[in-house]
Structure formats: structure tokens, C-alpha cells
Amino acid sequence: MKYALALGGGGARGAFEAGVWKKLCEMDKEIEAIAGTSVGAINGAVFLSGICDEEIWKNIRAEDILPGIKEENILSPALLKEYAGQLINGGIDMGPIKKIISRFVSEKNIRSSNTEFGICLYSVKEKRIKQLFKKDIPGGGMIDHITAAASFPVFKNHVVYNEELTDGGIFNNLPADMLIRRGYKNIISVSAGGPGYEKSYFGRGVNIIRIKYKKPIQGVLEFNGDAAARSIEIGKLECGRVFGEYCGEIFFIDSESYLRALQRYGKDLIQETEKAAEIAGVEKYRECLFSELVDELMNKYVQNERLCKEVRRIERYSDQLINGKKSDIFRAANAILYMKSHF
């Protein structure tokens, strides 16, 4: 089966999309088209250029995007004053971002690829969204158009062939619509959790597979190698879950292990066990067997005063029947008590 890929905006959270792409490649999913907004446009272009996007994200730093900024001086008065002045005068210079795009994006490779490529921008003069595919972009203009598509609102609008263009994410941060209009029927929609408007699309006879960065661990301008590496890993895991390699509401449980647990314990107890493990502080962002999850829960919960207190409270009940609606902490403690006796 062939798929079209829609990539949303999200700044530094674009590392999540790099993880999704890597997992799609590992699963040998055939991608026949890519459309992106903002950082999604950059990622799509890099993917089709044949560059290892994962390593780019792990090595990029805030000072590569915003010269002068480092973690230790990000709130310094002098630097804030400098960037405030740039904002007053039309926005922060896009030069450093264009330099990065020019380094890693190959217009030749994009145009020669059998995979269609499109970007979503906003025309300042025309006051409307512009959605362009490869054939709509003049030769030699690919880098400038991608740079314009990534002109996040704090940056200057980018002038391309005398037309002032900017990031399309404020009005359409996930351009699945341009793929639907193009006739693609199987669309993988990747939301990186960026600011902007994400429309809900339902095309006639269209299958939209949604992958979402549900709880981003980094800010949109938090360009940090360690955070990017974790976002990449989360992207791989979320993609794997959507395509059935992993199951679970909170954790990424091996699907075969999950099905065995489901046959033995049922869905409710598995969900309560996941909630207990989350409260206990078990690491979520990795693949695991259900048995491993329970083992770690048993080791971790004794260090959580809240869970221990609730377990002891339930143990004191003289009647096994407890009526009424129960809280998450109660259900978590109940799962712990059950697993202590039956696992």
C-alpha cells in the first residue's frame, strides 16, 4: 500500500517527525507524496534530499537558529533587547535558517524524486494560503520557498520573486487537505504539537492515519540535542503504536505481550496497571513487555508515598465490595494489590 504524508509545524518539535519518518522507513512503508507546513516543509524536503534528518536534529542548537542565544544567556537583558529591536523592525532575520536549509536540502534530489512534494505558505499581499507542489515552484526557487514556509511569526516574512510570503501554520498547520485534493487516498497525518490551526479533514473515501505528539517534552524554540533525541524516539514509538507494533494507552507494550495480557486480565486491569506505573514514575518512552512493566511497577511503587498510602488504605477494608466511582489513584492501587497476589 502507498501512503501520502502530511507534516505539521512545531519548531523544535519537528524532531518528532524525524522519528516518525525513520520508523516508516524501517517498516518499508511506501510514501508517494509529502506535504508540509513550517518545520514540516523543512523535514519533508530533507527526507526527499536523502539526508539523515535524525542526526541534524540531534546536533542543531538554539544559537544555530538565533545567533547569540545560549542556554546560559537566553534571558540576558542585552540579548532580549537586541531581539526585541528586531521584532519591532519586522522580525528576526531568517538568514541562519535559510543557511541550514541550503546545507541539507537538495532541490535536484527533490525534483528527481518519484515522491511528490508540496508546501503550505501564506501570501501577505493576497492574504490567503498558498499550497504549492513541485511543478508550481520555479526552478532554483525551492530553497527560498521552503524558507518562506518556515518563517514562524517571530521571524521576518521572506520575499520570494517580489512576493512577501510567510509561514502557513497560523491558518493551516497540517496540510492534509492539499493531499486529499490531489487525489491521495491513504494519508498519514503527523502533528508535531506546534502552535497554529489544525483542521480536521474527512475526505470522501479517504483513510487518514493520525500520529500525534500528545505530550511534547520540548518547547517550539527549545533546540537541544538531548530533547531532540527523546522526541525522535517518541516519534518512532507513536508511529509503531499506530501501525500495531505496540499497544497500550500510556506505555508502548509489545503487541503480542499485550494480547496475552488482555486474554488473561482484560482491558480494564491493564489500563489500571498502566496508570499505576505512570504514577509510580516508570519510564514511558520505550518499548516493553507487559511482564516487564509489572515488574518495574512492583519495584517503583514502594518509593511513591501516595501510592503506598492508598494501597494500605484499601488493604484495611473489611468488605471486598467497595461501591461508588473510584479515582485514578484508587484504581492504580487496586491494580497493584491484584498484581502482588496474582502476577
Side-chain angles (χ1 to χ4, degrees):
M1 183 179 289
K2 295 181 180 180
Y3 300 90
L5 181 64
L7 299 171
R13 294 172 184 168
F16 175 83
E17 296 175 343
V20 171
W21 176 257
K22 183 170 184 180
K23 188 65 178 180
L24 291 172
C25 293
E26 289 175 358
M27 295 187 295
D28 291 324
K29 300 297 183 185
E30 186 175 354
I31 305 299
E32 58 181 341
I34 299 176
T37 293
S38 196
V39 75
I42 297 176
N43 272 332
V46 173
F47 298 160
L48 294 184
S49 296
I51 304 295
C52 182
D53 198 43
E54 181 178 358
E55 292 306 312
I56 297 173
W57 280 107
K58 287 179 180 178
N59 289 291
I60 198 168
R61 297 292 181 268
E63 56 263 35
D64 298 326
I65 306 295
L66 301 169
I69 282 188
K70 298 182 184 297
E71 288 187 21
E72 62 270 19
N73 73 347
I74 193 169
L75 295 178
S76 71
L79 200 59
L80 290 174
K81 183 178 180 180
E82 177 185 340
Y83 279 109
Q86 291 189 38
L87 288 172
I88 292 171
N89 291 304
I92 298 171
D93 180 31
M94 282 293 292
I97 294 179
K98 182 179 178 180
K99 184 178 179 181
I100 293 172
I101 294 171
S102 300
R103 180 180 173 189
F104 296 110
V105 170
S106 167
E107 177 166 350
K108 179 181 177 182
N109 288 358
I110 292 172
R111 292 194 184 277
S112 63
S113 172
N114 291 326
T115 302
E116 180 60 281
F117 176 66
I119 57 177
C120 181
L121 318 94
Y122 182 79
S123 171
V124 177
K125 181 180 179 180
E126 297 177 12
K127 294 183 172 57
R128 68 178 182 89
I129 286 289
K130 296 190 74 170
Q131 296 180 330
L132 307 176
F133 285 97
K134 283 192 282 191
K135 70 176 182 59
D136 305 314
I137 300 172
M142 188 69 70
I143 299 297
D144 275 312
H145 277 84
I146 294 168
T147 302
S151 299
F152 192 70
V154 298
F155 292 92
K156 285 183 179 179
N157 298 333
H158 199 62
V159 178
V160 185
Y161 300 125
N162 297 317
E163 182 178 15
E164 195 173 357
L165 300 169
T166 191
D167 194 317
I170 298 300
F171 301 97
N172 188 356
N173 203 35
L174 191 52
D177 60 320
M178 63 189 295
L179 296 170
I180 294 172
R181 293 192 188 97
R182 195 77 167 187
Y184 297 105
K185 297 299 183 182
N186 293 294
I187 297 171
I188 301 169
S189 170
V190 185
S191 171
Y197 181 51
E198 291 187 3
K199 299 179 182 179
S200 295
Y201 297 108
F202 299 93
R204 185 171 59 186
V206 175
N207 173 34
I208 299 182
I209 301 164
R210 293 177 170 85
I211 303 175
K212 187 172 184 178
Y213 199 170
K214 299 172 185 175
K215 295 182 179 180
I217 62 162
Q218 62 186 127
V220 294
L221 292 176
E222 187 184 349
F223 293 93
N224 173 283
D226 292 337
R230 282 179 59 80
S231 290
I232 289 167
E233 188 60 30
I234 294 168
K236 291 167 61 179
L237 290 167
E238 289 290 0
C239 183
R241 174 149 57 193
V242 166
F243 282 97
E245 284 196 13
Y246 313 116
C247 298
E249 297 292 325
I250 300 171
F251 291 82
F252 299 89
I253 304 169
D254 172 80
S255 57
E256 291 185 8
S257 172
Y258 183 92
L259 290 175
R260 289 194 297 270
L262 188 65
Q263 291 173 345
R264 183 173 181 181
Y265 303 114
K267 187 174 182 179
D268 287 350
L269 186 61
I270 292 175
Q271 288 178 341
E272 291 172 1
T273 302
E274 284 192 84
K275 175 55 69 175
E278 182 182 40
I279 295 171
V282 175
E283 170 60 39
K284 290 187 286 188
Y285 298 118
R286 56 175 179 86
E287 58 183 285
C288 65
L289 302 175
F290 184 74
S291 58
E292 294 172 338
L293 181 64
V294 175
D295 286 342
E296 290 193 49
L297 170 59
M298 293 299 106
N299 290 328
K300 281 267 191 181
Y301 95 88
V302 294
Q303 303 169 33
N304 187 292
E305 183 179 350
R306 187 177 172 216
L307 274 174
C308 288
K309 183 178 179 180
E310 187 69 5
V311 168
R312 290 193 298 268
R313 188 178 74 84
I314 297 174
E315 285 179 320
R316 287 198 297 269
Y317 280 111
S318 57
D319 191 343
Q320 289 186 340
L321 295 175
I322 305 170
N323 296 320
K325 188 176 180 180
K326 302 299 178 290
S327 65
D328 283 345
I329 191 69
F330 176 92
R331 294 182 182 280
N334 181 65
I336 291 169
L337 278 172
Y338 181 90
M339 290 300 175
K340 283 175 68 176
S341 303
H342 297 86
F343 184 73

